[in-house]
């Protein structure tokens, strides 16, 4: 709920996990992390999100999609997948959508570490026009 300049988030739910097939007697951790990173943009997960919000409303929970969340380690979270996910959410859903970053290593030191981010309008234009690189 967006009240004045404060966004209140009261509920969240994870995306379903995807099993990555084992090949040559080993598990490809890069394939698993790439699938997880792209999860917010996947068509199946968009359908899943809509169904979850519908079910929450059926039990009288005020439910609106205001963004997505992910975990980080020692503040290490800005990468192409994070930017692509946030761009997708702000472009397709709502320009006020946020990405919540939970830093698990900092939280384990005794203080909950949550941060919220949005892409600026100038960045959205630069990204759309392919005037942005991670280099």
């Amino acid at each position: 709920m967006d009240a004045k300049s404060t966004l209140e988030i009261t509920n969240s739910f994870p995306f379903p996990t995807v099993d990555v097939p084992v090949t040559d007697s080993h598990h490809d951790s890069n394939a698993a992390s790439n699938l997880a990173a792209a999860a917010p943009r996947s068509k199946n997960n968009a359908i899943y999100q809509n169904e979850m919000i519908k079910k929450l409303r059926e039990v009288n929970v005020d439910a609106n999609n205001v963004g997505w969340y992910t975990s980080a380690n020692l503040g290490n979270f800005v990468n192409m997948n994070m930017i692509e996910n946030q761009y997708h959410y702000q472009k397709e859903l709502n320009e006020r959508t946020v990405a919540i970053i939970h830093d698990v290593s900092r939280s384990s030191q005794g203080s909950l570490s949550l941060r919220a981010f949005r892409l600026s309008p100038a960045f959205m234009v630069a990204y759309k026009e392919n005037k942005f690189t991670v280099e």
Side-chain angles (χ1 to χ4, degrees), residues 21-36:
V22 175
T23 57
D24 297 331
S25 302
H26 72 281
H27 182 75
D28 187 353
S29 62
N30 285 337
S33 65
N34 288 340
L35 282 172

Side-chain angles (χ1 to χ4, degrees), residues 49-114:
Q49 288 177 62
N50 291 333
E51 284 297 313
M52 286 296 292
I53 288 171
K54 180 180 170 187
K55 290 179 186 321
L56 287 168
R57 286 184 179 151
E58 287 174 357
V59 294
N60 283 339
V61 173
D62 185 25
N64 295 302
N65 189 341
V66 297
W68 61 287
Y69 68 91
T70 190
S71 61
N73 190 19
L74 295 173
N76 211 1
F77 63 90
V78 178
N79 57 41
M80 262 331 270
N81 281 319
M82 187 273 184
I83 292 168
E84 288 172 356
N85 288 335
Q86 187 59 23
Y87 178 83
H88 167 78
Y89 268 80
Q90 284 184 228
K91 181 178 172 273
E92 300 297 326
L93 295 176
N94 182 338
E95 65 187 21
R96 298 177 61 118
T97 298
V98 296
I100 304 292
I101 310 298
H102 173 224
D103 192 322
V104 293
S105 57
R106 289 188 177 148
S107 292
S108 70
Q109 296 170 356
S111 178
L112 179 62
S113 177
L114 295 173

Side-chain angles (χ1 to χ4, degrees), residues 86-87 90 95 97 117-127:
Q86 187 59 23
Y87 178 83
Q90 284 184 228
E95 65 187 21
T97 298
F117 294 89
R118 285 189 183 125
L119 301 176
S120 70
F123 184 90
M124 293 287 290
V125 170
Y127 187 83

